[in-house]
Amino acid sequence: MAAYIIRRLLLMIPTLFGIMLLNFIVLQFLPGGPVEQVIAQLTGTAVEATSRVSGGGGAEVSREQQMSNQGADAAVSSKYRGAQGLDPELIKDLERQFGLDKPAHERFALLIWNYIQFDFGESFFRDQPVIGLVVDKMPVSISLGIWTTLLTYLICIPLGIAKAVRDGSRFDIWTSTVIIVGYAIPGFLFAVLLIVLFAGGSFWDIFPLRGLTSENWDDLSWPARIADYFWHMVLPITAMAIGGFATLTMLTKNSFLDEINKHYVVTARAKGLSERRVLYGHVFRNAMLIVVAGFPSAFIGVLFTGSLLIEVIFSLDGLGLLGFEAALNRDYPVVMGTLYVFTLMGLILNLIGDLMYMIIDPRIDFESRDV
């Protein structure tokens, strides 16, 4: 197994490199980069200053100098929208400040070298190290992912087993209808519905509308803090978990149905074992292999796909909201830093998911299989 783990770890290097390269290339072609963001903020003031300087008296400017300045202005304006009329030296200073004065391949090589050392640089617009921002926001996103995944498993596994035992019954039909309808509703739309119903909308004011804790958090006792935390988490977790019920429930049901129809189950029943002993003593371990081993992948899936809009709707200051705001502001260090963390977490959790197969079923031998 050690050789398999080493091979998988080595395979992560080109995978991570390829993902970072692809996203770096995409960012180069996006309009409205950080320099243009600053230009958009300074345009009005810069134009006034330029007109005042050109309108007053002073030393004469040679024709050659004017033509040179006009050429520089034209080059700047052609490169950045809204830069016409600004001092070219100002634009060059902005490029140096944002690290855009170097060729793209040099910037990417420097980025990879820094990321190997977990040096993500500083945010363009927050004046904070990116690693500090990521560490500050990570607990919110991880807590959402963990609790959502646990809730999904605690509900879907017993429900899937019950559906497998009662396959084709009225219980199986109506529960399938309910979870498929829940799967069809987008998580963000269900979140809005929960807010309208239970967070002071048009009906009941039971749960808080935003945030992870109350304003008087520091004054609460430890039991009260725990209760306050889960009180704030009820609606976001419910909104994130609703979409995952269908997949996991049907996977559990089909896994149990597949095992129930095998010969060893018929043999166990022929020996006079009770149905409960057959189900939980023989079928459960084999049927749950694929379900339990997929826990890390399910967690990272929830973390990637479900947290962004939920964090925005419920004003939860996590990685999803941080990455979204950074993308809008073209804060490239934050965008690439959060992407790097998400990708690395996904690769590691996928490896853990594969290793869980061996933990659940020791008959699986990773040494005998190729990556």
Side-chain angles (χ1 to χ4, degrees):
M1 186 178 67
Y4 174 77
I5 294 176
I6 293 174
R7 290 198 301 269
R8 285 292 299 271
L9 291 175
L10 292 176
L11 185 62
M12 289 181 186
I13 297 175
T15 304
L16 190 60
F17 178 85
I19 293 174
M20 298 302 295
L21 176 60
L22 179 62
N23 285 273
F24 181 83
I25 293 174
V26 170
L27 288 179
Q28 305 312 303
F29 293 98
L30 286 179
V35 174
E36 290 179 333
Q37 294 285 332
V38 176
I39 289 174
Q41 298 173 8
L42 299 177
T43 298
T45 306
V47 170
E48 289 179 4
T50 304
S51 62
R52 286 197 301 268
V53 170
S54 60
E60 292 184 2
V61 181
S62 65
R63 182 175 179 83
E64 291 79 5
Q65 214 171 357
Q66 289 179 0
M67 293 179 63
S68 174
N69 291 339
Q70 290 174 359
D73 287 342
V76 170
S77 62
S78 64
K79 187 175 181 180
Y80 299 109
R81 291 184 302 174
Q84 187 173 5
L86 294 180
D87 185 359
E89 289 300 323
L90 173 63
I91 305 301
K92 292 179 180 179
D93 288 339
L94 290 175
E95 289 181 335
R96 283 192 293 269
Q97 178 183 347
F98 293 124
L100 301 176
D101 56 329
K102 302 180 180 66
H105 66 278
E106 292 185 13
R107 287 188 278 120
F108 180 73
L110 181 61
L111 178 142
I112 293 297
W113 172 249
N114 290 334
Y115 277 25
I116 292 175
Q117 307 172 66
F118 282 88
D119 179 11
F120 301 145
E122 291 195 1
S123 168
F124 286 162
F125 303 107
R126 292 174 180 256
D127 294 328
Q128 297 181 38
V130 176
I131 187 65
L133 289 172
V134 171
V135 171
D136 289 342
K137 313 301 182 183
M138 188 177 292
V140 176
S141 297
I142 289 181
S143 62
L144 282 173
I146 289 178
W147 293 120
T148 300
T149 308
L150 285 176
L151 177 65
T152 304
Y153 269 72
L154 289 175
I155 293 177
C156 292
I157 290 176
L159 180 59
I161 295 173
K163 287 173 64 64
V165 173
R166 300 172 177 84
D167 184 40
S169 65
R170 295 178 62 182
F171 171 81
D172 181 36
I173 294 174
W174 72 260
T175 52
S176 295
T177 303
V178 171
I179 62 174
I180 290 175
V181 170
Y183 179 75
I185 301 176
F188 71 91
L189 185 60
F190 192 72
V192 174
L193 177 62
L194 291 176
I195 290 175
V196 172
L197 291 176
F198 302 109
S202 302
F203 296 89
W204 303 280
D205 188 4
I206 301 175
F207 298 102
L209 177 61
R210 65 189 64 209
L212 200 59
T213 57
S214 299
E215 295 181 358
N216 62 338
W217 166 265
D218 295 332
D219 301 329
L220 300 176
S221 62
W222 279 108
R225 289 185 179 184
I226 296 174
D228 182 76
Y229 167 77
F230 283 106
W231 181 49
H232 282 76
M233 293 289 283
V234 168
L235 296 187
I237 291 176
T238 303
M240 291 178 64
I242 192 68
F245 284 161
T247 301
L248 186 57
T249 301
M250 300 309 295
L251 177 62
T252 304
K253 175 189 174 182
N254 293 333
S255 297
F256 268 79
L257 284 177
D258 184 57
E259 294 294 327
I260 287 174
N261 295 324
K262 290 185 177 179
H263 292 295
Y264 75 89
V265 177
V266 177
T267 303
R269 287 170 175 166
K271 290 181 178 179
L273 297 179
S274 65
E275 191 66 22
R276 184 178 182 85
R277 178 75 179 276
V278 171
L279 186 62
Y280 292 100
H282 294 77
V283 176
F284 185 83
R285 177 179 176 181
N286 294 327
M288 290 305 297
L289 174 62
I290 189 173
V291 176
V292 177
F295 184 90
S297 298
F299 167 71
I300 202 66
V302 170
L303 197 62
F304 280 152
T305 61
S307 62
L308 171 57
L309 290 176
I310 299 302
E311 288 180 10
V312 173
I313 292 172
F314 290 99
S315 300
L316 301 175
D317 197 8
L319 283 177
L321 183 59
L322 175 66
F324 176 72
E325 292 178 347
L328 290 181
N329 296 327
R330 301 297 190 265
D331 198 343
Y332 292 161
V334 177
V335 172
M336 297 296 290
T338 53
L339 175 69
Y340 183 84
V341 171
F342 272 132
T343 305
L344 187 60
M345 288 177 60
L347 293 172
I348 293 175
L349 287 174
N350 281 332
L351 174 59
I352 294 174
D354 289 344
L355 297 181
M356 286 187 68
Y357 282 100
M358 189 205 67
I359 297 174
I360 298 172
D361 190 350
R363 294 172 297 177
I364 296 178
D365 182 16
F366 285 106
E367 297 288 351
S368 62
R369 50 178 295 202
D370 297 327
V371 178

